[in-house]
Amino acid sequence: MSQTLAINERQDFITTKGRQKAHLKCDADSIAGCVSQRACVYCGARVVLNPITDAIHLVHGPIGCSAYTWDIRGSLTSGEELFRNSFSTDLKEQDVIFGGEKKLSAAIDKLAIKYNPKLIFIYSTCIVGVIGDDLEAVAKAAAKRYGIQVIPVQSSGFIGNKSAGYRAACDALFRLIEPADRTMVGKDKSINYLGDFNLAGEAWIIRDYFRQMGVTVNVVLTGDASSADLKKATRASLNIIQCAGSMHYLAGRMEETYGIPFMQVSFLGLHDTADSLRRVAAAIGDKEVLARTEALIDRELAVTAPVIEDYRRKLAGKKAAVYVGGGFKAISLIKQFRELGIEVVMIGTQTGRQEEYDTIHELASDGTVILDDANPSELEKFMTEQQADLLVGGVKERPLAYKLGKAFIDHNHDRKHPLSGYVGAINFAKEVYSTVCSPVWKYVRSGDEGCE
Amino acid sequence: MNEKTDYRDVNENPCHMCMPMGGILPIKGIEGGMVVIHGSQGCSTYMRRYISEHFSEPIDVGSSSLNEKGTVYGGEKNLKQALDNIRKVYNPKLIGVLTTCLAETIGEDINRIADDYLKERNLNNDLVIIPVSTPGYGGTQAEGYFRTVREIVAGLAQPSPKHNKLNIIVPNISPADIREIKRILALMGVEYTLCPDFSDTLDRPYLEHYSKMAPGGTKLEDIRGMPGAVATIELGETVGDEYSPGRFLADNYGVPLYTLPIPIGVKNCDAFFNTIKKLTGKPLAESIKAERGRLLDAMVDSHKYNFAGRSTIFGEPELVYAVSQLCIENGVYPAVVATGGAGAKLTNLLRAVVAECPEPVAILTESDFCEILEQSRLHQVNIAIGHSEGRYLTEHGNIPLVRIGFPIHDRVGGQRLLAVGYTGTTLLLDRITNTLLENKYRTYRTDMYDLYYKENSGPPAAAEDEVIGDDGLYSL
């Protein structure tokens, strides 16, 4: 790095491939005042559980937590739409003083009667963690009253970062999927697909690939899943995980408790998509499945590869900066950019795990800056120093990239087009092209030359 | 109203946000202003995302990132570390420290911590810290906004010699609105201190070099001198005294306070200009008279189209009040007026103005979008006016939405929407009229066909909900 950082403590979280330490610090609390891009425990839990289509998501807390997460993800549904509402107990000062259990109970009553749901998640927020409302007791009583499932999600904001929220969501899911009949565990020759939230129909695209291969997807966690689908989750004989940050913990618990093995997949980019489909086929071990998988890959590549090649000719030599939520996405993006002839020169995540950073380090080319839990000033510094042409990130990062005159790729939860699979790879290339090669940069970069 | 009790137990799709969200905006409108949210990390991140998406601007906000330890033993160490780090990277002149639910519930004394910090670091002459109590459960973003403006003014104001400037306090309007008020004042040759001024800081021009701190904002020196002003004009009819910066200046320094609505609509614009004239003796510029004339001309041109509108108006109280008046002036009579907060002052103000409406108006406070939708259906509303969360009304109630206010997330240009002054009013009115026209033209051929073409029809069918408002009777 050409200069030291303003905040010393951040030095441990950043490294340059080939020039500095191979390991960086990660999975730690954000440093106060560093303007971390991370969200909170509740947010982590909510984004994982939110796509469950027929669930009531009731936030026990002040209004903000609910307001900022209303219909937040572009998760699509083929069934109910209940999940697209945001319900809140809208706690007020007197609730904080006298406790909020009564209000929570009354809120559940109203919702249970009005919507007749099968499943209610109650999310704990910061103040609930402090005032000590007994969510378990309220949930238990309500479940009994209405004969439905009411599951508390222990997501008080201060107990950790977004990763702790993923774990809280996984704990809630683990309760939900507990089978009534243990004899059916692992009996189906189907797979569960973990860590796809069906943004812009991505889970549907991947499901269709498996259909063509002759592999049955039992349930997707949690994109377009209903509570009834999820209750059958333990019947599958294999779990495949895409978003490892959010689902690795659940997969581990399912293996431990139900003996269902898991494997890591990724459907971002041509290479990872083909590789993941082949590995799943190999795990199934059926010759016909293997043959159909190869046929599928050939069919899709015949259409996709020439399109990608065309974009590659237009984009080769550009440099990318990546700042995303989880490690799996970062790893895949390095490979996916290479398919387009683009090198990643800066890469970081909000919640990447040590082993993911090891892989990133291994994959990255020399001189690439790798950083965990970055902030705007670091993103600005390294994007500029590394002369990146574009940034991949979320909503908060977009205006910064644009102010710096950099192109930008929206790899967030709100996007309206799929980035998974072969069609996703084309969309991705098209998006990179549309932002890197837009005519606006010509005017922006020539500064004030145009006016006298 | 028994029904209201239901909504107090559970809010279904919020129409308001929390206090610290509102507090960030004014601090971003102070020169060299930076924000630290005292609470857990997520609060600042959510708010940054929300504000950033509306303004399309980088929104850097620090957090004291309270963890379990800080929650149990107190967050003083975290807050001081946050202040240190923010100073290192941003070198601000002023830091607003906003509390959250968490900080308030564990009883953090931010005034004391701020005082100690300035003493310990020997910064009393170089940095201003404005601590503001903004518990998320204590009120809405609108109250957080005004409480923060009040604390900024109270924290900086000093006894000052009399000068000839006006204090202008603005609510959460767009950067374009603020620029328009400044343009008008400059045209009239009026000197002023406008606070908070985020017209540049939250709507930056593209520049060759990026700076972490956005240039612009109300100058600290100008705020210090506010007690010497001729008078304060506060665009805050719905603001409670305890949140009012103008009330603070009046009570503590004797600065006369003129409370006005946002200048949207003929009457409100007239009130604004008349007050300025009264205070400064400056007459209305000829070009502004022409703007007024053009607004009247537009009102006449569109009046029959507008008369077909039945509106739902929702959002922050101050904007809701002004937009309701605009709608009444033009015959787009409000049927439902809603705000997410308690809105006691708003209700009284609205009662007086809706008396003109030919039909009763549902005034909803502590409301949510579920209730707003129900009431809009019940009252056969055909146009909604408010922020982008109102897209729910379009998706579920087929009610077109005219976007104004904060936030606007599903369209670009929220920061550039102009609605104040005679010209701004004309632009907003045109958007309302055109939305009514667009919606009418979109369906009128099929509507008329369905209503009148009977050649192939069997026995008479029951009328459907969807054609409500389009009964085929004369309406343009």
Side-chain angles (χ1 to χ4, degrees), chain A residues 31-43:
Chain A
I31 299 165
C34 280
V35 194
S36 164
Q37 308 288 91
R38 281 178 180 164
C40 65
V41 184
Y42 158 70
C43 171

Side-chain angles (χ1 to χ4, degrees), chain B residues 196 232 246 272 321 360 428:
Chain B
T232 302
F272 182 71
Y321 179 51
L428 174 59

Side-chain angles (χ1 to χ4, degrees), chain B residues 33-297:
Chain B
M34 189 61 195
V35 191
V36 171
I37 305 269
H38 190 28
S40 58
Q41 178 60 49
C43 301
S44 72
T45 303
Y46 270 134
M47 294 171 202
R48 288 175 58 206
R49 180 194 172 279
Y50 238 64
I51 299 172
S52 189
E53 196 165 21
H54 173 86
F55 292 98
S56 291
E57 291 287 330
I59 304 293
D60 292 6
V61 172
S63 168
S64 59
S65 306
L66 279 184
N67 50 21
E68 202 144 20
K69 216 166 130 194
T71 304
V72 176
Y73 300 109
E76 182 166 348
K77 202 174 140 235
N78 281 59
L79 180 53
K80 287 179 175 172
Q81 186 188 15
L83 292 167
D84 279 340
N85 284 334
I86 287 294
R87 281 175 45 229
K88 280 182 204 161
V89 176
Y90 296 91
N91 193 26
K93 292 181 183 170
L94 176 146
I95 302 178
V97 176
L98 304 172
T99 61
T100 57
C101 300
L102 183 59
E104 293 283 341
T105 310
I106 63 175
E108 293 284 283
D109 184 352
I110 48 166
N111 287 301
R112 200 230 354 116
I113 298 173
D115 282 348
D116 287 358
Y117 180 82
L118 291 174
K119 264 183 231 139
E120 284 163 24
R121 305 289 194 274
N122 199 19
L123 287 169
N124 274 315
N125 298 319
D126 308 309
L127 176 71
V128 178
I129 298 183
I130 304 288
V132 192
S133 169
T134 48
Y137 50 74
T140 68
Q141 80 278 11
E143 286 148 341
Y145 178 99
F146 271 101
R147 180 177 277 183
T148 304
V149 181
R150 183 186 166 105
E151 294 301 322
I152 292 168
V153 171
L156 287 167
Q158 289 169 356
S160 317
K162 289 276 172 219
H163 52 75
N164 59 359
K165 288 189 194 174
L166 290 182
N167 298 327
I168 312 278
I169 307 284
V170 297
N172 184 7
I173 50 179
S174 78
D177 287 333
I178 297 178
R179 283 196 292 274
E180 179 69 358
I181 291 173
K182 288 162 72 174
R183 181 187 71 92
I184 289 165
L185 294 171
L187 251 173
M188 295 180 71
V190 174
E191 289 190 70
Y192 60 89
T193 299
L194 186 145
C195 181
D197 182 0
F198 45 82
S199 61
D200 293 322
T201 54
L202 294 183
D203 190 11
R204 304 193 207 188
Y206 184 86
L207 293 172
E208 214 177 324
H209 297 288
Y210 174 74
S211 53
K212 289 182 183 62
M213 296 290 279
T218 315
K219 290 187 165 57
L220 301 187
E221 270 321 296
D222 289 347
I223 303 174
R224 288 191 177 107
M226 285 173 101
V230 177
T232 302
I233 295 179
E234 183 166 292
L235 306 178
E237 287 265 45
T238 64
V239 180
D241 278 352
E242 71 276 27
Y243 295 122
S244 161
R247 175 51 52 203
F248 172 86
L249 289 168
D251 290 351
N252 291 276
Y253 297 98
V255 186
L257 171 62
Y258 294 81
T259 305
L260 298 175
I262 302 173
I264 295 177
V266 182
K267 232 163 93 183
N268 289 342
C269 286
D270 287 349
F272 182 71
F273 285 106
N274 290 340
T275 307
I276 289 172
K277 189 181 169 191
K278 183 170 135 191
L279 294 170
T280 63
K282 311 248 183 186
L284 198 61
E286 281 305 316
S287 65
I288 294 176
K289 274 187 197 157
E291 289 178 38
R292 186 177 192 276
R294 279 191 199 98
L295 169 59
L296 294 177
D297 199 48

Side-chain angles (χ1 to χ4, degrees), chain A residues 188-192 207 210-211 213-219 236 284:
Chain A
D188 284 6
K189 227 189 159 194
S190 62
I191 63 170
N192 293 325
R207 250 180 191 278
F210 285 122
R211 190 189 54 77
M213 286 158 56
V215 176
T216 309
V217 176
N218 179 41
V219 62
I284 302 280

